[in-house]
Amino acid sequence: AMGYDGVEFAGFYGHTAEEVKAMLDETGLCAISSHVPYDSFVADMFGTIAYHQTIGCKYIAVPFLGEEHRPGGPKFAEALRNIGIFGKLCKAGGIQLLYHNHDFEFITISGQFGIQFIYDAIPADILETEFDMCWVKYAGQDPAEFVKAYKGRCHVVHLKDYVGKKGGKQPYALIQADGKDDGTAADSSDIAFEFRPVGHGCQDFPPIIASCIECGAEIFIVEQDLSVGRPPLEAARMSREYLKSIDY
């Protein structure tokens, strides 16, 4: 009713694939993509793919890497191997694998960002980007410019807005295998910024969206990790209304 065409999942909360497919059919929404934690897909690659095939999901995203698997971590090479294997299996199953960034991939290693190592190590047809424009900006980059280096590889983009600056505790919650918060999300008293509906924070979205479209973006996903001061669905409505109102 708000004007969204589909949803991106982050956990299925115990529902079977058939139950999720029935919900999608009932609402008229499509399963655009799904965030599947690293440990979950490593534990059951074939089962993960089969579940998403049943719900008609076109994309699966690697949403987060723990410290030891991140760029510069002791198990980073292992993570690249597993992501590459899973990406090939996804491709064989008709699903495209994505990698969703935070800010920690923007550490510099041997003169380049860690995120560049990920996309250099795994071919574009196996792993595409899912740039989260909040974390790109939070890491100190211009989102509209940064995406240009990945033209043709960025078909799915996260639009997310915030106010404030970098500092304090990590501002993102860690989403676990079934969408559960592990308790590490900081509250507003000890972080340096606050999430906002799209168009109600510091981001300049018209040039970001225009640049992404020029680079091949086909799907824009509204994401807001926390809704402060209003119900989450009200924030979702505000984001969609803003996107309807702008030219790009």
Side-chain angles (χ1 to χ4, degrees), residues 183-236:
T184 63
D187 63 34
S188 59
S189 66
D190 57 12
I191 62 175
F193 80 63
E194 183 176 288
F195 294 106
R196 292 288 175 84
V198 170
H200 296 267
C202 67
Q203 297 271 41
D204 185 9
F205 281 109
I208 292 174
I209 294 171
S211 182
C212 289
I213 291 173
E214 183 181 338
C215 292
E218 299 173 347
I219 298 166
F220 291 94
I221 296 172
V222 168
E223 182 186 47
Q224 186 172 339
D225 299 34
L226 298 170
S227 184
V228 180
R230 61 181 60 87
L233 283 178
E234 174 63 12

Side-chain angles (χ1 to χ4, degrees), residues 8-238:
E8 178 178 72
F9 290 96
F12 296 104
Y13 298 88
H15 291 288
T16 67
E18 290 75 17
E19 288 171 339
V20 172
K21 182 63 168 61
M23 295 177 200
L24 292 166
D25 291 343
E26 180 182 356
T27 58
L29 293 167
C30 62
I32 296 292
S33 53
S34 174
H35 279 199
V36 180
Y38 174 81
D39 289 342
S40 295
F41 72 72
V42 169
D44 187 6
M45 293 188 182
F46 290 103
T48 298
I49 291 168
Y51 190 110
H52 289 81
Q53 287 173 326
T54 298
I55 67 172
C57 194
K58 185 178 180 181
Y59 296 96
I60 292 175
V62 181
F64 188 86
L65 291 175
E67 289 189 14
E68 63 181 1
H69 291 109
R70 296 176 187 176
K75 294 187 177 181
F76 180 49
E78 176 186 303
L80 290 178
R81 285 194 299 272
N82 284 329
I83 291 169
I85 292 168
F86 186 52
K88 290 177 182 178
L89 292 175
C90 284
K91 182 178 180 180
I95 295 172
Q96 176 64 57
L97 187 62
L98 312 172
Y99 182 85
H100 170 273
N101 66 282
H102 288 76
D103 64 303
F104 56 74
E105 294 91 349
F106 289 85
I107 64 168
T108 300
I109 304 173
S110 300
Q112 68 177 22
F113 290 136
I115 199 164
Q116 293 174 269
F117 280 94
I118 295 173
Y119 292 125
D120 287 347
I122 303 173
D125 64 320
I126 301 300
L127 184 70
E128 291 193 357
T129 72
E130 187 183 48
F131 286 127
D132 184 310
M133 292 308 179
C134 167
W135 303 128
V136 172
K137 183 175 177 66
Y138 184 79
Q141 303 302 303
D142 179 344
E145 290 299 317
F146 182 80
V147 72
K148 293 178 180 178
Y150 296 90
K151 187 173 183 177
R153 196 173 184 172
C154 50
H155 295 104
V156 183
V157 176
H158 267 201
L159 300 180
K160 183 157 65 184
D161 214 347
Y162 69 98
V163 294
K165 61 183 180 179
K166 189 168 185 176
K169 292 178 67 175
Q170 288 184 344
Y172 38 81
L174 309 188
I175 303 301
Q176 301 304 306
D178 199 25
K180 298 182 178 69
D181 185 341
D182 74 349
T184 63
D187 63 34
S188 59
S189 66
D190 57 12
I191 62 175
F193 80 63
E194 183 176 288
F195 294 106
R196 292 288 175 84
V198 170
H200 296 267
C202 67
Q203 297 271 41
D204 185 9
F205 281 109
I208 292 174
I209 294 171
S211 182
C212 289
I213 291 173
E214 183 181 338
C215 292
E218 299 173 347
I219 298 166
F220 291 94
I221 296 172
V222 168
E223 182 186 47
Q224 186 172 339
D225 299 34
L226 298 170
S227 184
V228 180
R230 61 181 60 87
L233 283 178
E234 174 63 12
R237 183 195 64 78
M238 291 171 64

